[in-house]
């Protein structure tokens, strides 16, 4: 059995860059239907804001004992102020670019009796000036960090992700990417890319067997010059592809309550374990454990080192 290396992780710094967003939850009770339309009326009893996207990755890094610097774009608005405040409260070092012409990406969820009834998204792509400022912040903070994490939610903050990866690798710092879409050329040269099952199918097509998946995964890894490729497969667990071949770990047997933000937790766990020099297979097992814990929680959540226990 091995314990989660909290003491070593506490000395590591993770630079998180990507699409920062605010997850806003309105909780209430539903006891009647609106006379205006066939929709439930939610009497809001509680409101809660949480860090989302790249900010949730940084929050998970801190919850696991590491130190996190967060780079992204927010608006000069109330939601942006909330992200700053929540980041400060979580112990994250924010290096956020404020763009007055760009509203903070906000996902507002309305829940009745713990079930999501509606989600409303507010988002726009950042302007060129904001991307220039984000690149400058990245260059300014790169030195002194052990790992770079790229959290891509396709909201526009990573329009120049290839340049960021190039700068980090030139500095000798590994880059872990949570990708989006099906054009993975932009992630070429990263250390690790972590597509989920759907994203992997978008990138390489549908596979017919495990051998077929391995062949497609290794071709993609070679094409992008990656050290490792990790496919997260929900109830099927995780599969890792490296020069040593294929390694797989089954999903942890937990009740799934909410999968939102689970990828953020997996990415953060990989970042802190690799920052202390843990081999990829062992890092994957810790990430799998963390993902299994967080899907049992409501909304974007974190996992602590204490919750992870020992890895047998």
């Amino acid at each position: 059995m091995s314990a989660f290396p909290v003491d070593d992780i506490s000395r590591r710094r993770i630079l998180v860059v990507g699409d920062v967003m605010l997850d806003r939850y309105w909780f209430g009770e539903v006891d009647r239907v609106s006379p205006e339309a066939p929709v439930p009326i939610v009497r809001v009893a509680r409101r809660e804001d949480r860090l989302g996207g790249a900010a949730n990755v940084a929050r998970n890094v801190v919850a696991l004992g590491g130190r996190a610097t967060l780079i992204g774009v927010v608006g000069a608005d109330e939601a942006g102020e909330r992200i700053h405040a929540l980041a400060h409260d979580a112990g994250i070092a924010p290096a956020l670019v404020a763009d007055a012409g760009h509203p903070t990406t906000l996902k507002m969820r309305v829940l009745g009796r713990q079930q999501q009834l509606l989600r409303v998204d507010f988002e726009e792509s950042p302007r060129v000036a904001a991307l220039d400022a984000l690149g400058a912040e990245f260059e300014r903070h790169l030195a002194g960090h052990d790992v770079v994490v790229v959290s891509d939610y396709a909201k526009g903050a990573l329009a120049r992700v290839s340049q960021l990866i190039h700068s980090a690798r030139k500095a000798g710092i590994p880059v872990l990417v949570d990708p989006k879409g099906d054009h993975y050329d932009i992630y070429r040269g990263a250390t690790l890319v972590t597509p989920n099952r759907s994203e992997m199918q978008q990138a390489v097509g549908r596979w017919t067997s495990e051998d077929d998946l391995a062949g497609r995964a290794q071709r993609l890894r070679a094409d992008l010059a990656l050290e490792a490729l990790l496919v997260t497969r929900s109830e099927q667990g995780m599969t890792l592809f490296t020069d040593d071949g294929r390694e797989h770990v089954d999903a942890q047997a937990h009740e799934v309550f909410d999968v939102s933000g689970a990828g953020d937790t997996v990415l953060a766990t990989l970042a802190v374990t690799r920052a202390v020099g843990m081999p990829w297979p062992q890092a994957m097992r810790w990430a799998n454990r963390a993902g299994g814990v967080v899907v049992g929680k409501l909304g974007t959540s974190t996992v602590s080192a204490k919750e992870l226990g020992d890895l047998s």
Side-chain angles (χ1 to χ4, degrees), residues 148-184:
V148 168
V149 170
V150 174
S151 178
D152 194 348
Y153 274 80
K155 307 302 181 187
L158 292 170
R160 302 173 183 172
V161 66
S162 296
Q163 297 175 22
L164 305 181
I165 292 172
H166 177 75
S167 293
R169 297 314 305 273
K170 187 176 179 181
I173 301 173
V175 181
L176 280 56
V177 179
D178 187 1
K180 208 71 173 179
D182 54 4
H183 298 295
Y184 280 24

Side-chain angles (χ1 to χ4, degrees), residues 26 30-31 45 54 59 77 80 83-84 96 130 142 150 156 174 177 183 186 188-189 192 204 233-234 236 273:
W26 288 2
V30 177
D31 51 25
R59 180 174 167 236
D77 51 22
I83 287 176
H84 270 283
L96 300 169
L142 186 57
V150 174
V177 179
H183 298 295
I186 58 175
R188 188 181 307 279
L192 169 78
V204 303
R233 306 171 67 182
S234 301
Q236 293 178 335
T273 50

